[in-house]
């Protein structure tokens, strides 16, 4: 199943810089591991915002939920999810 996910990050200003940097480092490592596994297929920065659009390729809604709540930045995110399905006019054979 493919999912389009928008993540907007809002780290409170009162979090110490070293703590915020540590959380962001863990976030990067976690997200890159998921990208390497093929589960996190795409990640795109939204210019001028602390936000991204991502595409996940997962087995279920529950798997997406577990991945998202494990994000180190999850407590500071607003997340919206849109399930996707292959369009019948697509010329790509590799999209599920």
């Amino acid at each position: 199943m493919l999912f389009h996910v928008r993540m907007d990050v809002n780290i409170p200003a009162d979090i110490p810089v070293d703590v915020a940097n540590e959380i962001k480092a863990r976030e990067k490592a976690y997200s890159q591991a998921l990208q390497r596994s093929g589960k996190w297929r795409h990640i795109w920065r939204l210019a001028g915002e602390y936000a991204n659009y991502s595409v996940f390729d997962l087995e279920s809604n529950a798997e997406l939920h577990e991945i998202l709540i494990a994000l180190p930045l999850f407590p500071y995110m607003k997340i919206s999810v849109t399930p996707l399905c292959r369009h019948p006019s697509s010329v790509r054979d590799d999209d599920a």
Side-chain angles (χ1 to χ4, degrees):
M1 297 177 71
L2 295 176
F3 299 93
H4 173 267
V5 180
R6 179 178 173 137
M7 297 178 223
D8 292 272
V9 181
N10 185 14
I11 299 173
D14 61 348
I15 291 183
V17 173
D18 59 328
V19 173
N21 287 340
E22 188 272 330
I23 294 169
K24 289 186 257 185
R26 286 189 292 119
E27 179 88 8
K28 182 176 183 177
Y30 179 61
S31 70
Q32 288 181 342
L34 287 165
Q35 290 172 66
R36 286 185 194 95
S37 77
K39 292 178 184 243
W40 196 325
R41 286 184 49 179
H42 301 280
I43 183 169
W44 297 96
R45 174 180 287 165
L46 302 182
E49 300 181 46
Y50 195 172
N52 73 74
Y53 283 131
S54 292
V55 175
F56 290 84
D57 189 358
L58 305 169
E59 294 297 319
S60 66
N61 296 329
E63 184 180 15
L64 177 64
H65 178 76
E66 293 303 317
I67 285 171
L68 295 177
I69 65 170
L71 290 167
L73 285 170
F74 179 78
Y76 313 109
M77 288 183 172
K78 176 184 174 198
I79 298 174
S80 60
V81 175
T82 304
L84 302 172
C85 59
R86 190 172 191 281
H87 195 283
S89 296
S90 176
V91 297
R92 306 235 182 256
D93 294 329
D94 62 342
D95 286 335

